[in-house]
Amino acid sequence: MPVAPGPADPAGTSRSTSATIQPNILRYLVVVADERGVDLRPLLKQLGLDETVMRSAALRVSYRQGSAVIRRALELTGDEHLGLKVGSAQHLTAWGLLGFALMADDTLRHAIETGVKYQNLSGAMVVWSAAVGEEDDAFVLRADLPDPAMDPAVASFLSEEAFASVVTLSRLAVGPAFAPKAVEFSFPPPPPRQLDLYDALFRCPVRFGAPANRLVVDPAWARFRMPGRDPVSYASTLEMLDAHMTSRRDQQDLLEVLEISVAQGLPVVPSFAEQARRHATSERTLRRRLADCGTTYEALVEGVRRERVEQLLLRPELTLRDIARRAGFSDERALRRAVHRWHGASPGRLRERMRTARL
């Protein structure tokens, strides 16, 4: 459940371009898509995520990469509720050390709070928070979307995947009888014929068009003792998770600083040698640190440029020549090639699509 990217900074970048998310959702998405006869591997390969890379425990993907794969999977499968299937297919082992910590925790509530605390390490794409609710002392888990203006289909997928995975993993941990007290989604209700999908999975009242995405846990279930609780194993695992969190923060700080530097420099992109000098390190060391983050300077620059182009396309007064110049492309042809590589469409078509989506 990583902390998702926040609003773009004044320089025009955000962590959506940084490779900081464990690709657990994408791995399960590939499996579920395979069951429906859809092969997502060519798309992953196009994004630099071939099968060998996807098997790497060190792999991190950017929020943008994850969203692109999800959007395309929804189109190819035609399944509007793919998020429910992907969430239901998951297992605690996919979360590595964090999954083990949750199984060794004391109560279900404390396990959920542990998951929220270490959400950067679990691989989800929403921002989690948890608190005791005002009604009947129920325990409330909330999943906020990183960007309210995101593609509605991707937003629905992420909301459904988030709560489907929580319910599925809770049943694996405490038993199949677990069910939330209520589930609330902020997106509009689906057609009546599709409501059975939610009833079958959650086995509780499900509300749509709510102010926020919330999963309410009855106090009795929140206090339920975890069958695999082990205080010693839990404490030792948390020590390792804390070390991972420190390392992750260092990586995110590096990526964010580099992104801001590139965004502020556009249309001129600082050379890699210049970036190494700014960080008082050698090019070799900086390249290794980026490799540890699962990315390269070239990929980071491309991500910032892509985000800048998308922002500029929303300004109707700018011509393609203006946009190419401001984003650091040599000419309009280079811009067109880049946009087609990113979106499979021309800049004009993408501009129209983005304007329509904002209406």
Side-chain angles (χ1 to χ4, degrees):
M1 310 170 191
V3 175
D9 67 80
T13 185
S14 77
R15 288 182 180 175
S16 65
T17 62
S18 301
T20 57
I21 302 171
Q22 288 187 341
N24 295 338
I25 291 178
L26 300 191
R27 290 191 177 110
Y28 280 99
L29 183 57
V30 169
V31 173
V32 173
D34 277 344
E35 294 172 353
R36 285 155 176 73
V38 174
D39 186 4
L40 296 178
R41 292 170 186 82
L43 173 60
L44 291 170
K45 189 173 182 180
Q46 182 181 346
L47 294 172
L49 303 172
D50 60 30
E51 290 194 67
T52 301
V53 173
M54 287 291 287
R55 293 193 195 103
S56 171
L59 174 64
R60 300 293 182 268
V61 299
S62 69
Y63 187 84
R64 187 182 296 283
Q65 284 175 311
S67 298
V69 175
I70 291 168
R71 187 179 300 107
R72 187 59 177 150
L74 289 168
E75 294 172 355
L76 292 174
T77 62
D79 188 344
E80 298 176 359
H81 303 291
L82 198 59
L84 293 178
K85 282 81 168 182
V86 172
S88 301
Q90 295 182 37
H91 197 280
L92 278 164
T93 53
W95 290 9
L97 282 174
L98 179 56
F100 183 77
L102 300 185
M103 290 188 287
D105 213 329
D106 185 40
T107 64
L108 179 59
R109 170 181 170 174
H110 200 269
I112 292 174
E113 289 173 335
T114 298
V116 170
K117 178 180 179 180
Y118 295 98
Q119 59 183 276
N120 277 352
L121 303 177
S122 72
M125 295 172 64
V126 295
V127 181
W128 293 97
S129 58
V132 175
E134 297 179 358
E135 301 176 7
D136 303 325
D137 293 326
F139 185 61
V140 178
L141 181 63
R142 176 166 169 158
D144 288 314
L145 297 168
D147 180 2
M150 70 164 52
D151 183 322
V154 175
S156 296
F157 174 97
L158 293 179
S159 303
E160 291 184 346
E161 185 279 332
F163 287 156
S165 64
V166 168
V167 170
T168 298
L169 299 180
S170 295
R171 286 173 181 157
L172 290 172
V174 302
F178 171 77
K181 184 176 182 180
V183 172
E184 300 175 350
F185 290 110
S186 60
F187 55 80
R193 66 180 183 279
Q194 297 177 2
L195 293 177
D196 289 345
L197 294 171
Y198 299 89
D199 294 336
L201 173 60
F202 295 114
R203 305 201 299 262
C204 71
V206 180
R207 177 187 172 198
F208 301 93
N213 297 308
R214 304 194 322 154
L215 185 145
V216 183
V217 181
D218 185 272
W221 274 117
R223 294 190 298 267
F224 193 89
R225 302 276 281 183
M226 300 292 283
R229 63 187 180 279
D230 187 311
V232 175
S233 296
Y234 177 75
S236 61
T237 305
L238 253 56
E239 290 181 6
M240 292 184 279
L241 290 173
D242 286 335
H244 282 298
M245 286 282 284
T246 299
S247 174
R248 179 65 60 83
R249 280 193 293 269
D250 290 343
Q251 291 179 352
Q252 289 180 332
D253 288 345
L254 171 64
L255 294 173
E256 186 172 24
V257 167
L258 287 173
E259 285 180 349
I260 292 173
S261 173
V262 171
Q264 289 176 336
L266 287 178
V268 177
V269 176
S271 70
F272 190 71
E274 174 60 24
Q275 295 288 18
R277 284 194 294 273
R278 292 178 183 180
H279 285 79
T281 188
S282 68
E283 293 183 44
R284 181 177 180 179
T285 298
L286 183 55
R287 201 172 296 281
R288 177 182 55 76
R289 291 182 64 192
L290 286 172
D292 290 341
C293 297
T295 191
T296 64
Y297 185 58
E298 293 74 19
L300 185 145
V301 170
E302 174 130 328
V304 174
R305 269 182 168 163
R306 175 174 175 170
E307 188 159 340
R308 178 63 58 85
V309 167
E310 291 169 358
Q311 292 172 340
L312 295 175
L313 282 171
L314 291 172
R315 297 175 56 180
E317 76 277 11
L318 297 179
T319 66
L320 292 185
R321 179 179 296 179
D322 295 331
I323 294 172
R325 178 177 53 80
R326 295 189 184 198
F329 290 96
S330 57
D331 53 33
E332 288 182 49
R333 288 186 300 174
L335 172 65
R336 292 179 188 277
R337 287 194 297 268
V339 171
H340 192 273
R341 183 172 67 252
W342 298 330
H343 294 280
S346 68
R349 182 74 175 269
L350 177 62
R351 172 178 257 171
E352 184 61 32
R353 187 191 305 168
M354 292 171 65
R355 286 177 180 170
T356 301
R358 288 171 70 93
L359 294 178

